[in-house]
Amino acid sequence: MTHRSQAVFRKGVAMGMRLRKLIGTVVMLIFIITYALFAMAIAEGRITEAPKPLQTLAYIVLGLIWIVPLMPLVRWMAKPDKP
């Protein structure tokens, strides 16, 4: 082992931005596919019987709420590498 690789090995391997983006992208795709199936099941079930204004509100909320749990993941993915 070289001196640099020994230092990295002792401190623990820092995750680079490329690896964080790859992991984040895979997690995001899995989450969005799962959430889309969930949202479609909710929309097909109870929302179709509700009054039109409530349907509109429900579709807006279902269309935007997926952003909330993914924001910490996006921040983690965009974190710059440590020197």
Side-chain angles (χ1 to χ4, degrees), residues 1-2 4 6-7 9 15 18 25 28 39 42 44 48 50-51 58 61 63 67 71 78 80-83:
M1 272 195 219
T2 64
R4 180 177 162 91
Q6 287 175 347
F9 184 72
M15 193 177 298
R18 286 181 73 172
T25 301
M28 212 180 286
I42 295 294
E44 280 293 315
T48 56
V61 169
I67 297 169
M71 283 310 298
D81 290 337
K82 293 181 182 179

Side-chain angles (χ1 to χ4, degrees), residues 3-63:
H3 176 67
R4 180 177 162 91
S5 62
Q6 287 175 347
V8 169
F9 184 72
R10 274 188 242 125
K11 291 181 181 180
V13 177
M15 193 177 298
M17 183 180 266
R18 286 181 73 172
L19 183 57
R20 280 196 307 272
K21 285 186 177 184
L22 175 66
I23 293 170
T25 301
V26 171
V27 169
M28 212 180 286
L29 284 172
I30 292 169
F31 176 81
I32 290 173
I33 290 169
T34 305
Y35 177 76
L37 294 172
F38 168 77
M40 285 187 294
I42 295 294
E44 280 293 315
R46 298 177 185 249
I47 294 177
T48 56
E49 301 166 1
K52 293 292 181 194
L54 188 58
Q55 285 182 14
T56 304
L57 180 62
Y59 288 128
I60 290 170
V61 169
L62 285 172

